[in-house]
Amino acid sequence: MNASNDTALCQRTPLLKAVARSRRLEAPYDVVGTAAGDDRAVAVSLMMLSTRSLDGVDIPPMEGLVSAHVEALAAWSSNAIVRLTSAWREPRDCLRMPAWVAAWKTAARHLHQAGRLSRRDLDHEAFRDEVAVLWPGESLQPLRFALLAQDGCALSHSEARLLAGAGLSDTKIEAPSVARAEPSLFRLLRGKTAALSEEARAVLVGRLLAWQRMDPIAAAMLVELVDAFDPDAVDEIRVDVAFALQAGGAVPPPFAYVLMTSWRIP
């Protein structure tokens, strides 16, 4: 297997090795092992996402498991997703097959980022939500993070993904807003960390330290945000998680992915 480019980052290597050696879940469900580049786990994920498996030749595939393996492979190597999908059925040819739809919807953002997917490829109602996120309309108006936080606004993950395309109008985001914000709002801060005051950044770091009590998606988003201005704080968490894994502990896949690769939450 070709190693992901992420393994070249020396500060992440201990965690990668720890995760690769840990067996959080029995095969064929060890998606964290896939993201870590474990040969056996990667092979299982590739098998689970083969045309034969997605067609349900042997057993009916579960949509959630299909999506999980797509994300795990993408965390290991974005090139693996490009190669894999080049052998898949075209989206328009599998619209009545839920596993195929789930696979394409999950892979879409990675292919779009790699310049291997056009809007026309997903021109069908089944992919409408993903199209709206990847190609946001001009009708979306910028949001005020401070106001959303003040109002206690909580978003579903799909809502947060869609609204993130609108951008934020805040020129400065202060600590009180970050402290009271619902975790689902963190997705709106992607690419906006320059607007955070020093105090607001400190609050984000503090909230990240409580990752074990957070939703894994929100915790993963916090890793991405904090890494933009305080990578040392994230490296300290990598070390803690590596020791925990070596001691037989577990870590949710999204959180593991952002700590050991360049994968980002949808």
Side-chain angles (χ1 to χ4, degrees):
M1 298 289 178
N2 292 327
S4 166
N5 292 335
D6 302 307
T7 57
L9 300 175
C10 60
Q11 74 270 29
R12 300 179 184 182
T13 300
L15 179 60
L16 280 167
K17 290 181 178 179
V19 174
R21 287 196 298 267
S22 71
R23 310 313 301 176
R24 291 184 61 260
L25 301 169
E26 294 299 322
Y29 308 106
D30 187 14
V31 290
V32 173
T34 295
D38 176 73
D39 284 354
R40 185 182 70 88
V42 169
V44 168
S45 288
L46 290 172
M47 180 272 294
M48 294 288 288
L49 297 173
S50 67
T51 296
R52 179 183 179 88
S53 293
L54 291 173
D55 280 348
V57 173
D58 298 316
I59 57 173
M62 294 181 286
E63 297 165 53
L65 189 57
V66 166
S67 295
H69 279 285
V70 170
E71 292 291 11
L73 274 177
W76 172 61
S77 169
S78 58
N79 289 333
I81 290 295
V82 172
R83 292 193 300 270
L84 178 68
T85 55
S86 67
W88 279 0
R89 300 187 187 282
E90 293 293 326
R92 63 177 178 273
D93 296 332
C94 49
L95 297 172
R96 297 182 181 276
M97 307 170 76
W100 275 106
V101 171
W104 274 112
K105 287 178 70 173
T106 309
R109 70 185 182 102
H110 303 291
L111 297 173
H112 179 258
Q113 186 175 10
R116 299 300 185 94
L117 188 74
S118 70
R119 183 169 184 165
R120 184 172 57 185
D121 294 326
L122 301 181
D123 187 18
H124 190 275
E125 182 69 17
F127 305 110
R128 181 184 61 180
D129 292 346
E130 200 63 27
V131 167
V133 170
L134 297 179
W135 293 276
E138 297 179 357
S139 60
L140 292 175
Q141 298 298 314
L143 305 169
R144 284 192 61 199
F145 186 86
L147 185 59
L148 293 172
Q150 178 180 318
D151 291 344
C153 181
L155 305 173
S156 68
H157 187 59
S158 59
E159 289 172 335
R161 291 188 69 204
L162 179 61
L163 292 177
L168 296 176
S169 61
D170 309 71
T171 57
K172 195 73 170 178
I173 300 174
E174 301 292 350
S177 295
V178 174
R180 69 167 63 99
E182 291 290 330
S184 59
L185 295 182
F186 296 154
R187 178 67 173 77
L188 304 181
L189 292 175
R190 175 176 282 169
K192 295 291 184 179
T193 53
L196 294 168
S197 68
E198 288 299 319
E199 294 79 8
R201 294 181 178 191
V203 171
L204 273 186
V205 173
R207 296 193 70 167
L208 176 57
L209 294 177
W211 67 269
Q212 290 175 304
R213 300 192 297 273
M214 294 180 63
D215 171 79
I217 292 293
M221 189 68 239
L222 273 179
V223 169
E224 177 184 338
L225 296 174
V226 172
D227 201 36
F229 59 81
D230 192 353
D232 289 343
V234 175
D235 275 342
E236 289 179 9
I237 290 180
R238 288 190 180 103
V239 173
D240 291 342
V241 171
F243 280 123
L245 287 169
Q246 289 170 334
V251 59
F255 195 66
Y257 296 171
V258 296
L259 286 172
M260 65 186 180
T261 76
S262 59
W263 182 91
R264 295 293 179 256
I265 68 166

